[in-house]
């Protein structure tokens, strides 16, 4: 669809031509739709099959060089609530630098217990060799697999056939970070937990303060190896995060059952699982069920989901197999927030891409916060803390105002009906959605709540998605991760919300620049309004009386006549009515 040039379009109309009239409900002469207007809309029907965009900053081709350069971003997590498990900072490594509004970016997450603030900032470049990259990928894949599927059974399989192809993949690294002095570093010790083996653990076991061997299902290990680990218990197929030793509990300790009866752990395991515990003097392990990955960017629900009291369990070491070690419960806990954090980051990067399309087009520098653009492309259905509705209302009003002004001044002294038709042509949802499609806006629109189950683990493509490159109107590339149904009304809403976003942060000038970019050129500031309304007001209205009622004195009393005249009262001497 061609951009609508209002100047040209209006000049094609001849105000002097007789118009086909009909009476509307308000008894005002109306104008029948001109046929070519209708045809124009029908020529290009809106296709509700629309793409979902993905930011190119997080995509790479699989092939690895011997050394890879990464841009490092530190994510500082701060929990604004009391919880026995603290959070740990995360390092995000990407191969393309982000374009951020400010030096750091804040994301606030909703957690059952309160809020968690994430501050993300760029900290510098880092080069990793191919072995390190593979190790990091295996680590994050293992942690996310465990968190998302809450099992560790098939982990070895998943890690085995994990090779990157030559296609474009969602590719970045999320790693635990710790401070050494003032400098944030990658917590390599935790990263190596993915390669845990008993042989290696024993061979590398030097300078240990604990040095107490403990019998677990598959052999003897030092307590230092099991107290920060991920274990599986083959008797029930579960996985647990181990956070320490329970030095006051062993197989002979008493356990209170839910019905109030007391029995020893030894008796319990025999009755419940048919297992005879052999090492009755060995301290149990403090275990925790795997954390749930939730949507933390959703508006806080009124009813909080309380953590079940049996999240923590006492485990006999002899039933446990170590899968990952050393890795702390803090690392697992912190990683549960990453799908939500990355989802918000992906959306922000898309908002930045959209902003740049407009920025590359206009000469003037319009600084719009990315957050406002994000708000304008987020529908209420996403259930997030912000959505486009108020911006949409603002944009809708501004658009109507701008277009009406333009039409009114260019097309003066004609009946309301005619203005309505011309207006309809420019600001109908159909017209706006077409303009939005021309600028490829549908791919940016966020219309579904985030579902952590659909989140893609970076660097792991088991055929669950494919990325197709597409070019935006500023020649920048973007990726399409999939397609969805999107109604044309949503596209029109987003166009209006974007107008509202530019207007509210950059003023009217920015609003007009955005209108111009989307394809509606408004140029009414230069059009003088001439009044062709020659009546002697005193002949129809008692001007003095109205002026005293209104406490206002009219320079042009004919305005008063026009304002008081309904369209059905047509006298030759009165050329206009208030519906105009
Ligand atoms: Zn040890």
């Amino acid at each position: 669809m061609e951009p609508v040039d209002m100047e040209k379009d209006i000049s094609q109309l001849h105000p002097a031509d007789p118009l086909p009239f009909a009476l509307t409900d308000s008894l005002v002469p109306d104008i029948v739709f001109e046929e070519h207007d209708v045809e124009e809309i029908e020529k290009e029907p809106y296709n509700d099959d629309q793409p979902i965009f993905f930011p190119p900053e997080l995509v790479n081709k699989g092939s690895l060089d011997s050394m890879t350069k990464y841009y490092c971003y530190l994510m500082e997590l701060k929990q604004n609530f009391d919880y026995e498990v603290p959070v740990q900072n995360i390092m995000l490594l990407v191969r393309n630098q982000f374009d951020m509004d400010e030096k750091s970016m804040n994301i606030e997450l909703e957690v059952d217990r309160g809020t968690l603030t994430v501050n993300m900032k760029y900290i510098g470049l880092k080069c990793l060799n191919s072995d390190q990259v593979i190790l990091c990928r295996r680590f994050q894949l293992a942690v996310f697999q465990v968190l998302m599927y809450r099992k560790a059974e098939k982990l070895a399989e998943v890690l085995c056939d994990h090779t990157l192809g030559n296609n474009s993949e969602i590719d970045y690294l999320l790693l635990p970070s710790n401070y050494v002095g003032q400098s944030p570093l990658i917590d390599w010790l935790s990263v190596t937990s993915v390669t845990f083996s008993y042989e290696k653990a024993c061979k590398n076991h030097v300078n240990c303060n604990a040095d107490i061997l403990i019998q677990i299902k598959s052999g003897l290990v030092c307590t230092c190896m099991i107290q920060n680990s991920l274990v599986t218990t083959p008797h029930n197929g579960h996985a647990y995060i181990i956070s320490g030793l329970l030095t006051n509990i062993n197989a002979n300790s008493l356990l209170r059952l839910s019905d109030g009866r007391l029995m020893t752990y030894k008796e319990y395991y025999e009755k419940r699982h048919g297992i005879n515990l052999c090492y009755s003097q060995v301290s149990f392990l403090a275990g925790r069920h795997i954390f749930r990955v939730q949507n933390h960017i959703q508006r806080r629900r009124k009813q909080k989901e309380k953590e079940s009291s049996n999240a923590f369990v006492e485990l006999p070491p002899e039933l446990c197999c170590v899968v990952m070690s050393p890795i702390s419960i803090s690392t697992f806990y912190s990683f549960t927030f990453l799908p939500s954090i990355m989802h918000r980051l992906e959306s922000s990067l898309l908002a930045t891409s959209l902003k740049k399309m407009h920025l590359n087009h206009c000469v003037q520098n319009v600084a719009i916060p990315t957050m406002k653009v994000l708000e304008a492309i987020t529908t209420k259905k996403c259930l997030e803390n912000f959505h486009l509705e108020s911006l949409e209302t603002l944009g809708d009003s501004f658009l109507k105002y701008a277009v009406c002004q333009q039409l009114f001044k260019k097309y003066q002294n004609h009946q309301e009906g005619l203005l309505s038709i011309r207006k309809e042509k420019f600001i109908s949802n159909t017209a706006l959605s077409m303009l939005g499609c021309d600028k490829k806006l549908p791919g940016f629109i966020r219309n579904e709540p985030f579902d952590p189950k659909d989140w893609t683990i970076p660097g792991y493509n088991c055929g669950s998605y494919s990325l197709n490159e597409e070019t935006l109107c500023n020649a920048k590339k973007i990726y399409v991760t999939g397609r969805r149904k999107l109604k044309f009304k949503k596209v029109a809403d987003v166009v209006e919300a974007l107008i509202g976003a530019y207007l509210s942060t950059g003023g009217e000038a920015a609003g007009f620049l955005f209108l111009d970019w989307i394809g509606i050129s408004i140029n009414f500031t230069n059009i003088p309004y001439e009044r062709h309304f020659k009546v002697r007001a005193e002949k129809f209205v008692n001007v003095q009386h109205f002026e005293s009622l209104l406490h206002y004195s009219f320079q042009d009393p004919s305005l008063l006549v026009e304002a008081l005249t309904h369209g059905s009262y047509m006298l030759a001497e009165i050329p206009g009515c208030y519906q105009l």
Side-chain angles (χ1 to χ4, degrees):
M1 186 169 164
E2 286 294 303
V4 184
D5 183 345
M6 299 197 44
E7 297 278 336
K8 195 178 96 205
D9 190 74
I10 287 158
S11 67
Q12 286 164 352
L13 279 167
H14 303 288
D17 288 351
L19 292 157
F21 283 107
L23 280 185
T24 64
D25 290 347
S26 49
L27 298 173
V28 177
D30 195 11
I31 294 130
V32 178
F33 259 93
E34 292 155 58
E35 259 175 34
H36 68 266
D37 280 1
V38 182
E39 271 172 22
E40 202 166 342
I41 288 163
E42 281 173 355
K43 246 182 240 165
E44 291 178 67
Y46 174 82
N47 184 354
D48 68 357
D49 177 62
Q50 294 290 349
I52 303 168
F53 286 163
F54 191 85
E57 291 90 339
L58 301 175
V59 174
N60 289 297
K61 292 239 190 283
S63 59
L64 265 184
D65 303 323
S66 57
M67 289 300 273
T68 310
K69 190 173 78 175
Y70 283 98
Y71 296 89
C72 297
Y73 291 85
L74 179 70
M75 292 178 174
E76 288 178 303
L77 274 60
K78 185 170 162 275
Q79 57 199 122
N80 310 313
F81 51 84
D82 290 325
Y83 185 45
E84 59 201 282
V85 183
V87 285
Q88 184 180 12
N89 291 344
I90 306 289
M91 197 92 89
L92 167 65
L93 278 70
V94 289
R95 281 157 71 180
N96 309 288
Q97 199 164 10
F98 299 150
D99 195 337
M100 303 206 295
D101 286 359
E102 283 160 45
K103 277 201 173 139
S104 67
M105 177 182 160
N106 274 306
I107 300 172
E108 186 143 295
L109 302 182
E110 300 283 350
V111 183
D112 290 344
R113 297 171 188 83
T115 60
L116 187 129
T117 317
V118 184
N119 180 268
M120 194 183 88
K121 62 182 177 196
Y122 177 65
I123 53 165
L125 284 168
K126 190 162 194 72
C127 282
L128 298 184
N129 65 39
S130 54
D131 288 343
Q132 287 173 315
V133 174
I134 290 167
L135 177 68
C136 293
R137 279 196 186 136
R138 284 168 59 91
F139 169 79
Q140 69 180 4
L141 175 57
V143 174
F144 285 124
Q145 275 279 329
V146 168
L147 289 173
M148 289 172 80
Y149 304 104
R150 308 186 77 226
K151 286 208 183 304
E153 282 170 327
K154 289 185 177 152
L155 201 56
E157 253 174 71
V158 170
L159 291 174
C160 257
D161 61 28
H162 165 54
T163 45
L164 278 183
N166 286 321
N167 299 324
S168 295
E169 311 266 5
I170 296 175
D171 175 37
Y172 51 87
L173 302 172
L174 288 165
L175 304 170
S177 169
N178 49 15
Y179 277 97
V180 174
Q182 296 287 306
S183 340
L185 296 174
I186 295 170
D187 176 4
W188 283 109
L189 191 63
S190 292
V191 175
T192 56
S193 66
V194 70
T195 62
F196 176 85
S197 76
Y198 292 104
E199 299 77 34
K200 208 183 81 182
C202 294
K203 210 171 79 187
N204 296 343
H205 189 246
V206 282
N207 299 331
C208 171
N209 295 325
D211 210 16
I212 302 162
L213 292 180
I214 191 168
Q215 183 69 42
I216 62 166
K217 182 142 182 85
S218 37
L220 280 169
V221 292
C222 177
T223 50
C224 73
M225 295 168 197
I226 198 157
Q227 65 190 355
N228 282 306
S229 67
L230 175 80
V231 302
T232 54
T233 48
H235 72 277
N236 61 5
H238 287 178
Y240 300 93
I241 302 159
I242 304 299
S243 58
L245 288 178
L246 297 163
T247 47
N248 56 346
I249 296 179
N250 61 33
N252 292 323
S253 305
L254 284 174
L255 167 72
R256 187 178 290 277
L257 299 179
S258 50
D259 61 8
R261 280 183 302 148
L262 284 171
M263 62 167 72
T264 65
Y265 282 94
K266 198 172 161 58
E267 288 166 338
Y268 171 79
Y269 272 94
E270 201 168 337
K271 281 207 167 124
R272 180 82 168 74
H273 298 287
I275 292 170
N276 184 26
L277 294 180
C278 308
Y279 303 89
S280 50
Q281 299 306 314
V282 176
S283 294
F284 273 23
L285 303 171
R288 195 202 184 281
H289 286 287
I290 308 297
F291 296 97
R292 283 186 189 281
V293 178
Q294 291 171 313
N295 175 357
H296 293 290
I297 50 174
Q298 193 164 334
R299 264 198 313 277
R300 196 195 298 241
R301 291 141 287 183
K302 285 241 169 75
Q303 260 186 328
K304 290 180 190 174
E305 280 173 40
K306 278 256 166 78
E307 181 182 76
S308 57
S309 53
N310 56 6
F312 287 90
V313 291
E314 306 85 38
L315 292 169
E318 62 189 282
L319 300 181
C320 300
C321 294
V322 176
V323 179
M324 293 176 81
S325 172
I327 180 164
S328 72
I329 191 167
S330 283
T331 304
F332 277 107
Y333 183 53
S334 306
F335 267 66
T336 60
F337 301 111
L338 287 173
S340 296
I341 296 171
M342 290 311 297
H343 182 78
R344 174 57 55 78
L345 181 61
E346 285 166 19
S347 319
S348 305
L349 291 170
L350 285 180
T352 307
S353 282
L354 200 168
K355 203 169 79 170
K356 275 202 223 152
M357 282 201 298
H358 172 255
L359 212 60
N360 294 357
H361 161 87
C362 62
V363 198
Q364 293 95 329
N365 192 28
V366 191
I368 304 292
T370 302
M371 194 52 216
K372 270 289 162 206
V373 178
L374 180 58
E375 191 179 320
I377 57 174
T378 304
T379 69
K380 212 174 177 178
K381 263 180 87 183
C382 296
L383 304 173
E384 290 179 25
N385 279 327
F386 49 83
H387 56 78
L388 54 73
E389 267 180 24
S390 57
L391 290 176
E392 182 199 333
T393 309
L394 181 66
D396 175 59
S397 307
F398 181 70
L399 181 63
K400 282 196 179 110
Y401 156 74
V403 170
C404 283
Q405 275 277 50
Q406 173 91 341
L407 289 170
F408 189 72
K409 292 197 171 171
K410 272 306 278 187
Y411 209 62
Q412 293 171 18
N413 304 309
H414 277 269
Q415 293 291 337
E416 178 196 44
L418 181 65
L419 284 183
S420 299
I421 286 177
R422 309 308 310 167
K423 196 172 75 185
E424 183 67 20
K425 193 179 159 192
F426 298 114
I427 62 178
S428 70
N429 285 330
T430 316
L432 289 180
S433 64
M434 285 305 182
L435 292 172
C437 288
D438 283 350
K439 298 290 183 211
K440 301 201 174 170
L441 293 186
F444 291 97
I445 298 173
R446 310 175 56 240
N447 195 34
E448 290 291 334
F450 171 54
D451 186 349
K453 284 198 288 294
D454 297 336
W455 185 72
T456 305
I457 300 174
Y460 181 59
N461 188 355
C462 48
S464 57
Y465 71 93
S466 64
L467 292 167
N468 298 302
E469 213 173 301
E470 192 160 324
T471 310
L472 295 173
C473 59
N474 58 347
K476 293 267 177 355
K477 72 176 174 190
I478 199 126
Y479 286 94
V480 176
T481 45
R483 304 195 74 85
R484 38 83 189 265
K485 295 268 172 245
L486 192 70
K487 291 199 172 106
F488 75 94
K489 170 79 166 64
K490 294 281 178 204
V491 183
D493 290 350
V494 167
V495 170
E496 288 174 344
L498 283 166
I499 297 168
Y502 278 78
L503 176 69
S504 66
T505 51
E508 269 196 26
F512 285 124
L513 283 173
F514 185 82
L515 282 182
D516 183 59
W517 176 73
I518 200 81
I520 304 172
S521 37
I522 300 278
N523 192 18
F524 73 71
T525 42
N526 300 326
I527 307 165
Y529 176 53
E530 286 168 42
R531 237 177 114 65
H532 304 283
F533 198 93
K534 305 269 182 265
V535 287
R536 273 187 50 236
E538 293 77 11
K539 192 176 160 194
F540 302 97
V541 178
N542 185 341
V543 176
Q544 262 188 331
H545 176 66
F546 276 103
E547 283 185 339
S548 70
L549 281 178
L550 296 166
H551 302 288
Y552 184 83
S553 138
F554 286 90
Q555 279 189 349
D556 179 359
S558 71
L559 283 166
L560 196 53
V561 179
E562 188 172 355
L564 292 169
T565 305
H566 186 262
S568 60
Y569 183 74
M570 293 190 112
L571 286 182
E573 302 98 304
I574 306 179
C577 63
Y578 66 76
Q579 277 117 329
L580 198 63

